[in-house]
C-alpha cells in the first residue's frame, strides 16, 4: 500500500466541520465533472499499484459528510463514468460503492480537490439512508439539514400531521393559510415599528416572531423552506 493510510483519511477529515465542509478553504473548487477534465486533473494518485487518495463524500443539499474512503484512479474514473460514487476497498482489493445500502446509491454531482491535489471532495445526492443499519450516513448520523429554521420547519410539519391542543403552532395551523398570512403581516408591521425605535432586544424579538410565522406559513402551503433559500440565493448581487 502507498503513503496514504487510514491515518491520512482521519487527518483529512479531522479538521473539517460536519456541515461546513463545502466552505473549507483547504478545498479549492477544481471542477472535474467530465471524463476529459478528470483525465487532465493531475490528481497525485501516488506510485503504488493502486495509488490511493482519501476521498470525502458530502451531501450537496444537507452538507452532511456521507462517507469517507479511498479512491484509486480506476475508482475515480468509474465514478465519473457511472454517476455513482465508487471507492477502492483495500480489504477486498476491488471497487465498491460508497453506500452500505445496496438499494440507495450515492449519486455523483461534482468533484473537487485540495490545493495539493492529494485528496478529493465529492459532492453527491442520495434518496435515502446509506448506513448499514439504516442510518442516514455511514457515520450513524441522520442526513438532514441542521439549524434553527430547519428544526422549526420539522416541528411545524409534525404539528401539521399530528396536531396537539396544547400547541400554539397547531392552533395557528388550524386557522388556515389566509389567517396565518394575515398574522405574518401583523408581525411585519410590528417589526417595522420596532425598527424605528432604539430597543435592540424588542427588535430581535419581533424579527424572531416574523421568521416563526414565515416558516409556519410555508408549512401551511407545503413549501420547503430550502426552496425559499434557493430563491434567496438567486437574488444575491
Amino acid at each position: 500500500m502507498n503513503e496514504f493510510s487510514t491515518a491520512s483519511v482521519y487527518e483529512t477529515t479531522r479538521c473539517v466541520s460536519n456541515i461546513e465542509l463545502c466552505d473549507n478553504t483547504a478545498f479549492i473548487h477544481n471542477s472535474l465533472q467530465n471524463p476529459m477534465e478528470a483525465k487532465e486533473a493531475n490528481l497525485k494518485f501516488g506510485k503504488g499499484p493502486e495509488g490511493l487518495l482519501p476521498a470525502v463524500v458530502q451531501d450537496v443539499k444537507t452538507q452532511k459528510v456521507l462517507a469517507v474512503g479511498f479512491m484509486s484512479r480506476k475508482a475515480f474514473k468509474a465514478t465519473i463514468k457511472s454517476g455513482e460514487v465508487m471507492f477502492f476497498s483495500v480489504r477486498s482489493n476491488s471497487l465498491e460503492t460508497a453506500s452500505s445500502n445496496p438499494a440507495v446509491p450515492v449519486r455523483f454531482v461534482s468533484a473537487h480537490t485540495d490545493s495539493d491535489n492529494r485528496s478529493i471532495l465529492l459532492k453527491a445526492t442520495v434518496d435515502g439512508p446509506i448506513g448499514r443499519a439504516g442510518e442516514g450516513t455511514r457515520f450513524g448520523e441522520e442526513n438532514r439539514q441542521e439549524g434553527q429554521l430547519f428544526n422549526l420547519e420539522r416541528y411545524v410539519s409534525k404539528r401539521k400531521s399530528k396536531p396537539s391542543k396544547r400547541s400554539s403552532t397547531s392552533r395557528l395551523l388550524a386557522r388556515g393559510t389566509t389567517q396565518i398570512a394575515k398574522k405574518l403581516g401583523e408581525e411585519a408591521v410590528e417589526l417595522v415599528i420596532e425598527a424605528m425605535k432604539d430597543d435592540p432586544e424588542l427588535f430581535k424579538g419581533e424579527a424572531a416572531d416574523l421568521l416563526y410565522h414565515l416558516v409556519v406559513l410555508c408549512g401551511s402551503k407545503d413549501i420547503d423552506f430550502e426552496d425559499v433559500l434557493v430563491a434567496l440565493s438567486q437574488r444575491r448581487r
Side-chain angles (χ1 to χ4, degrees):
M1 188 173 173
N2 66 10
E3 60 186 308
F4 291 97
S5 62
T6 303
S8 301
V9 176
Y10 172 77
E11 188 62 26
T12 300
T13 59
R14 180 180 59 82
C15 62
V16 180
S17 165
N18 196 31
I19 62 173
E20 297 293 337
L21 182 58
C22 66
D23 295 324
N24 192 310
T25 55
F27 289 88
I28 58 175
H29 294 272
N30 293 331
S31 178
L32 306 173
Q33 296 186 37
N34 69 55
M36 291 306 295
E37 289 177 343
K39 188 174 182 180
E40 302 294 329
N42 293 322
L43 284 166
K44 298 177 181 178
F45 279 101
K47 299 179 180 180
E50 292 301 336
L52 304 180
L53 290 181
V56 179
V57 186
Q58 180 188 31
D59 190 301
V60 73
K61 182 176 181 180
T62 67
Q63 309 303 324
K64 284 284 189 178
V65 174
L66 298 173
V68 175
F70 290 112
M71 293 192 89
S72 61
R73 189 176 295 277
K74 183 178 180 181
F76 185 78
K77 289 183 176 180
T79 295
I80 301 296
K81 183 177 181 179
S82 70
E84 181 177 358
V85 178
M86 305 293 292
F87 287 151
F88 176 82
S89 171
V90 177
R91 180 170 49 189
S92 65
N93 196 37
S94 62
L95 300 188
E96 64 177 15
T97 64
S99 175
S100 294
N101 181 356
V104 182
V106 178
R107 301 195 181 282
F108 171 76
V109 174
S110 63
H112 314 270
T113 68
D114 71 353
S115 55
D116 295 322
N117 290 317
R118 291 185 180 276
S119 59
I120 307 169
L121 169 62
L122 299 126
K123 303 291 184 70
T125 61
V126 292
D127 295 324
I130 66 167
R132 197 175 302 279
E135 306 92 343
T137 76
R138 290 183 66 170
F139 295 99
E141 295 184 306
E142 291 187 57
N143 183 24
R144 65 183 191 183
Q145 291 163 306
E146 301 292 348
Q148 291 284 351
L149 292 176
F150 291 113
N151 291 339
L152 175 58
E153 181 181 45
R154 284 188 284 272
Y155 179 77
V156 170
S157 177
K158 176 183 177 181
R159 286 302 172 217
K160 187 175 182 180
S161 60
K162 296 181 179 179
S164 169
K165 294 180 179 180
R166 301 172 61 182
S167 168
S168 58
T169 300
S170 290
R171 292 194 294 271
L172 182 59
L173 286 166
R175 294 172 62 184
T177 299
T178 300
Q179 293 303 314
I180 298 172
K182 288 181 179 179
K183 184 61 177 174
L184 178 65
E186 293 173 9
E187 297 297 341
V189 172
E190 291 176 10
L191 179 62
V192 171
I193 293 172
E194 289 303 327
M196 303 301 174
K197 300 178 182 179
D198 190 22
D199 192 328
E201 294 306 314
L202 285 178
F203 176 82
K204 285 185 280 188
E206 294 298 343
D209 286 343
L210 182 69
L211 287 173
Y212 166 78
H213 286 88
L214 175 59
V215 174
V216 174
L217 181 61
C218 287
S220 177
K221 293 180 65 62
D222 294 321
I223 293 176
D224 289 340
F225 201 74
E226 170 65 20
D227 293 335
V228 176
L229 295 181
V230 170
L232 177 62
S233 69
Q234 295 169 348
R235 297 190 183 188
R236 293 176 183 172
R237 297 292 184 268

